[in-house]
Amino acid sequence: MVGKIVKGIFPNPYPAAMQDQRIKDLISYARKVEKEMFQLATDKEDYYHLVVERIYKIQKELQEIRQKNLALQH
């Protein structure tokens, strides 16, 4: 599930990126998120739902940040 979270945040990492400290930090963050979802879940189905929901929220936040950055550039 950690891999799915990382992929949800950074879908197409290039091979050299895997050595970058930011990717290592991203993986640590994904582990933290996964652990939090595991602890909150009441069962397996709830766990998967929480993880998917969290990935969606993270993607939405990243999209909003990108849109704000694009608006600032114009």
Side-chain angles (χ1 to χ4, degrees):
M1 292 310 283
V2 171
K4 289 191 182 293
I5 296 169
V6 170
K7 197 164 190 94
I9 297 170
F10 193 40
N12 299 314
Y14 48 94
M18 298 313 287
Q19 301 305 317
D20 192 305
Q21 183 60 43
R22 292 173 291 183
I23 295 296
K24 293 176 184 176
D25 293 343
L26 173 59
I27 293 168
S28 292
Y29 172 74
R31 285 185 177 135
K32 183 182 126 218
V33 167
E34 188 277 335
K35 181 179 179 182
E36 184 179 313
M37 298 303 102
F38 182 81
Q39 291 172 339
L40 288 172
T42 56
D43 58 24
K44 196 177 204 179
E45 186 177 329
D46 189 35
Y47 167 71
Y48 289 131
H49 176 77
L50 288 171
V51 170
V52 168
E53 191 175 86
R54 186 62 182 258
I55 291 170
Y56 174 78
K57 286 179 183 178
I58 291 169
Q59 288 173 334
K60 188 137 176 105
E61 289 171 9
L62 290 172
Q63 182 180 14
E64 289 172 6
I65 290 168
R66 285 186 201 109
Q67 288 174 343
K68 286 178 185 177
N69 287 340
L70 284 174
L72 291 174
Q73 290 176 356
H74 296 310

